[in-house]
Amino acid sequence: QKEVEQNSGPLSVPEGAIASLNCTYSDRVSQSFFWYRQYSGKSPELIMSIYSNGDKEDGRFTAQLNKASQYVSLLIRDSQPSDSATYLCAVLLSGAGSYQLTFGKGTKLSVIP
Amino acid sequence: ETGVTQSPTHLIKTRGQQVTLRCSSQSGHNTVSWYQQALGQGPQFIFQYYREEENGRGNFPPRFSGLQFPNYSSELNVNALELDDSALYLCASSWQGNNSPLHFGNGTRLTVT
């Protein structure tokens, strides 16, 4: 069973701090990784995608990928109360004829004003 | 360019009944994927449709079935509803062969009583 693991949290950080969200995956040959943000009662919203080892920055968000360690993370700088949500890590399942994402259970982030 | 739209938004059904959920794909997309998200869990892949045929399926029983129409819109049908089918059902469209990230519709919240 190919899995994606996340710490369910909740993770609480003060406003203005850096929030660090982590994810590990079991499928060694996965090539595509995504972070989704989900507000309560809403559908997941894509915020970052990363395909190569290293860092990828987009505004206050930085995704980090280490394929050797099978680890992907998301850093949120200058956290705002509006960042309070559940963050879902997703991995593209390799070897399938279709485009299948395997999701972790999500990490709930609370940014305290 | 319109995004993915799903209907209905909310639905309440009784155990044993049947339900049909609908999804209109984003303009230019020929592939539709369906996911089930139970409370407190990440989305789980149900199946994907391409050229009106199922081309990938997750670990869901046969009472979960689908259709894709010539205009690429799709339906998800669930027969003999069970209490555990209560979940948020998400639809995403994409272009087959393009590993671009999935963008979800707003989802249908199904409650089975």
Side-chain angles (χ1 to χ4, degrees):
Chain A
Q1 181 77 10
K2 297 177 180 178
E3 296 180 343
V4 176
E5 300 286 342
Q6 293 182 256
N7 187 330
S8 62
L11 173 65
S12 294
V13 300
E15 184 174 354
I18 295 175
S20 177
L21 305 163
N22 305 315
C23 172
T24 59
Y25 58 94
S26 62
D27 183 6
R28 182 168 291 277
V29 298
S30 293
Q31 296 295 319
S32 303
F33 307 88
F34 309 95
W35 283 99
Y36 287 81
R37 177 176 63 198
Q38 186 171 29
Y39 293 112
S40 181
K42 303 295 185 182
S43 67
E45 171 193 12
L46 178 74
I47 54 173
M48 289 288 286
S49 58
I50 186 165
Y51 307 98
S52 304
N53 279 330
D55 295 0
K56 178 182 178 182
E57 186 174 319
D58 184 0
R60 295 187 295 111
F61 298 99
T62 299
Q64 299 174 318
L65 176 61
N66 184 326
K67 292 183 181 179
S69 299
Q70 295 174 240
Y71 175 91
V72 59
S73 65
L74 179 70
L75 300 178
I76 307 175
R77 291 182 300 281
D78 188 24
S79 295
Q80 301 296 310
S82 59
D83 294 327
S84 297
T86 295
Y87 289 81
L88 297 161
C89 173
V91 176
L92 180 61
L93 187 65
S94 65
S98 59
Y99 188 101
Q100 295 183 32
L101 291 179
T102 300
F103 284 84
K105 291 184 178 181
T107 298
K108 186 172 183 179
L109 172 67
S110 292
V111 180
I112 312 301
Chain B
E1 180 176 282
T2 58
V4 177
T5 58
Q6 293 186 243
S7 63
T9 305
H10 295 86
L11 203 52
I12 299 174
K13 289 287 189 178
T14 302
R15 189 171 50 185
Q17 287 187 315
Q18 179 266 343
V19 69
T20 297
L21 310 181
R22 294 179 174 83
C23 173
S24 295
S25 60
Q26 183 172 331
S27 177
H29 287 177
N30 60 4
T31 302
V32 174
S33 304
W34 287 92
Y35 287 76
Q36 180 198 63
Q37 186 177 23
L39 196 63
Q41 304 294 314
Q44 284 194 293
F45 177 73
I46 303 174
F47 44 54
Q48 182 178 88
Y49 276 80
Y50 169 63
R51 290 186 175 177
E52 302 178 48
E53 291 192 359
E54 184 182 295
N55 79 328
R57 188 177 185 93
N59 188 27
F60 281 81
R63 59 190 187 82
F64 285 78
S65 63
L67 287 172
Q68 186 180 32
F69 301 99
N71 66 353
Y72 305 133
S73 65
S74 177
E75 287 182 354
L76 164 64
N77 299 290
V78 187
N79 294 322
L81 284 167
E82 301 177 359
L83 296 179
D84 286 349
D85 295 333
S86 295
L88 179 67
Y89 288 84
L90 298 163
C91 172
S93 67
S94 57
W95 180 258
Q96 182 72 355
N98 181 346
N99 285 338
S100 57
L102 290 184
H103 294 269
F104 292 100
N106 289 331
T108 294
R109 172 73 63 185
L110 172 65
T111 302
V112 182
T113 61

